Amino acid sequence: MSDNGKMWGARFEGELDPQFAEYQDSLQHDISLAFADLDTNLAWSEALVSAGVLTDDDFDKIATVIEGLAAHWHEHGIPTDSDAEDVHSFVEQQLVAKLGDLGKRIHTGRSRNDQVATDMRLHLREWVGCLVESIEGLCLALVEKAAVHAGDAIPGYTHLQRAQPITIGHHALAYVEALSRDRERLIDAHNRFDQCPLGSGALAGTAFDVDRDALAARLEFQHGPTRNSLDATASRDHLCEVAFACSMTMTNLSRLAEDYVFFAAFETGFVRFGDAVATGSSLMPQKRNPDAMELIRGKAAKVQGALQSLLTLMKGLPLGYNRDLQIDKELLLPALEATNQSILVAATAIENAVFDTERCAREAGRGYLNATDLADLLVKAGVPFRDAHGIAGTAVNRAVELGVELHELPAAEQKTLLPQLSGDLAESLSVQAVLDRRNVIGGTAPVRVRAEVERWRILIAEWAEGYHEFEDFDPDEEDLEIELEQPDAE
Ligand code: ARG
């Protein structure tokens, strides 16, 4: 460190302007990389041994201090009294305080540019593991909802107009499909960023003879070292990808939330949220608001904003590293947090959403949701579909006039309007019959929904054995109980 306390201070005689000093300080945003930074310091120290810069004995001392610091921080949180400008200078300060000159040797042949790139990938892979696990939990909650309501009817909508009856289970499993793709997207993104940038130096590669393959293996990167130092230090597309995977997840959650807000409206009355996830009004005593779902819808805006900001952050940057890139963490990390919390809250809200199954079934039988089936019955009686569509439409018009449903049309009306059909419409146009007819792969028939529930149960159990390399990660621990000055709270 130079006299002015900065790791880069030697060329500078004056102090930083205090306002700028605060402006450029990123510690409050990147402190959550502290554990990753310890890992990279340890791995780099080992690489320096193989490069002949440090001895085995030096490495043992460094390892002891790093392990001690990690244990101490896990137990007591990270000290808050640092004037370091970022997490890397903070960790270096701590190492120098305990190791003296030896601590100052660790930055040999390394730059904060390859360091931050590596830290971020290590941190991100833990986040991906955590998000994947949270999505799996939500999928399971939805699958269990579907299991309970595999045969329970609810109106299905297109254009938010009643369209055809579906089962509540079918609706729940629709979101499992979408979320399972979000899960895969996260895993794909991890697969692509699973390469080690350390050894890239500031932009051109380190000048020391380090074994980058060993370094990558030590840090458990699956695809070895990055292959171009300029790209490795300057690219952030993997952050954008993860931000997109989160944004897509949030978009799906937001649609789920919107559906449930609608289901909980007085006008529909399909769902009642339990006390665990509903809130009241400070003024209107009768209110019972679906705030959990509304907040999920709201947080989606925040996460999507992060994606847009990251793309914009990147678009004008020349290669290699530019300080603009420091803002990436400020954007992405809160988005990861918001996404994870939203997934967890969504699971709780789903578990606490109680369907009024009688009302749902009754409403599925009102509003001519069986008109398509009437046309289909006519087709089966030999009428070309286009004509059948017209005949069924006329029947709907007449039923509307009479104030009845299609299956309630008086026998005389049926005879005139639908001479091709002799059977009992009440039976063949019942909600149950309409549901049962959709007995096709992907259809809403209860028997199909039950089969899908079984399929998902097996798949989710397999997931739990699959992608869980970093499942010890606990984002709450990443809060680290630090009291660094926070930006204005949300
Ligand atoms: N804190 C910086 C970041 O997150 C890394 C430091 C690189 N600083 C530099 N002057 N090259 O991007």
Side-chain angles (χ1 to χ4, degrees), residues 80-102:
T80 62
D81 51 355
S82 173
D83 61 350
E85 68 178 26
D86 64 14
V87 65
H88 321 293
S89 3
F90 168 73
V91 170
E92 186 168 324
Q93 266 181 2
Q94 302 280 314
L95 294 175
V96 171
K98 293 206 157 36
L99 290 160
D101 279 354
L102 180 54

Side-chain angles (χ1 to χ4, degrees), residues 26 30 86 88 112-113 116 236 321 323 325-326 328-329:
S26 63
D30 58 22
D86 64 14
H88 321 293
R112 282 184 291 167
N113 299 352
V116 72
R236 296 291 185 272
Y321 178 87
R323 191 68 183 275
L325 292 175
Q326 173 170 295
D328 62 359
K329 289 166 285 300

Side-chain angles (χ1 to χ4, degrees), residues 102 139 180-181 211 221 272 301-302 336 445:
L102 180 54
C139 285
S180 74
R181 292 191 295 273
D211 179 346
F221 284 98
R272 184 175 193 275
K302 176 171 162 167
L336 298 172

Side-chain angles (χ1 to χ4, degrees), residues 224-241:
T226 50
R227 309 301 299 195
N228 182 297
S229 56
L230 197 52
D231 173 60
T233 47
S235 66
R236 296 291 185 272
D237 48 284
H238 51 298
L239 272 70
C240 297
E241 259 195 279

Side-chain angles (χ1 to χ4, degrees), residues 180-339:
S180 74
R181 292 191 295 273
D182 294 330
R183 174 185 174 275
E184 261 174 44
R185 258 187 283 275
L186 283 162
I187 295 171
D188 285 352
H190 173 206
N191 187 46
R192 254 184 302 283
F193 74 69
D194 208 0
Q195 266 189 310
C196 182
L198 208 55
S200 298
L203 75 163
T206 185
F208 290 81
D209 185 20
V210 296
D211 179 346
R212 291 198 63 214
D213 286 310
L215 197 49
R218 165 143 207 156
L219 289 169
E220 293 179 52
F221 284 98
Q222 305 300 309
H223 302 310
T226 50
R227 309 301 299 195
N228 182 297
S229 56
L230 197 52
D231 173 60
T233 47
S235 66
R236 296 291 185 272
D237 48 284
H238 51 298
L239 272 70
C240 297
E241 259 195 279
V242 172
F244 172 72
C246 288
S247 296
M248 198 61 245
T249 306
M250 289 304 296
T251 295
N252 284 324
L253 288 191
S254 185
R255 294 184 76 174
L256 171 81
E258 169 57 18
D259 277 353
Y260 273 78
V261 168
F262 174 64
F263 289 169
F266 184 80
E267 284 67 16
T268 39
F270 297 161
V271 158
R272 184 175 193 275
F273 282 107
D275 290 357
V277 289
T279 53
S281 156
S282 59
L283 175 66
M284 299 165 281
Q286 87 284 10
K287 290 300 284 291
R288 189 174 183 84
N289 297 327
D291 289 31
M293 291 305 193
E294 292 169 84
L295 283 166
I296 289 169
R297 224 170 37 190
K299 296 262 183 187
K302 176 171 162 167
V303 177
Q304 288 160 358
L307 169 62
Q308 187 57 53
S309 302
L310 280 165
L311 291 167
T312 312
L313 180 74
M314 302 293 300
K315 69 176 274 301
L317 293 188
L319 293 186
Y321 178 87
N322 298 270
R323 191 68 183 275
D324 318 38
L325 292 175
Q326 173 170 295
I327 310 301
D328 62 359
K329 289 166 285 300
E330 207 173 307
L331 297 169
L332 182 62
L333 299 180
L336 298 172
E337 180 101 49
T339 304

Side-chain angles (χ1 to χ4, degrees), residues 6-17:
K6 297 284 177 217
M7 59 191 342
W8 40 261
R11 272 196 72 215
F12 299 80
E13 281 165 13
E15 291 293 325
L16 276 187
D17 169 77

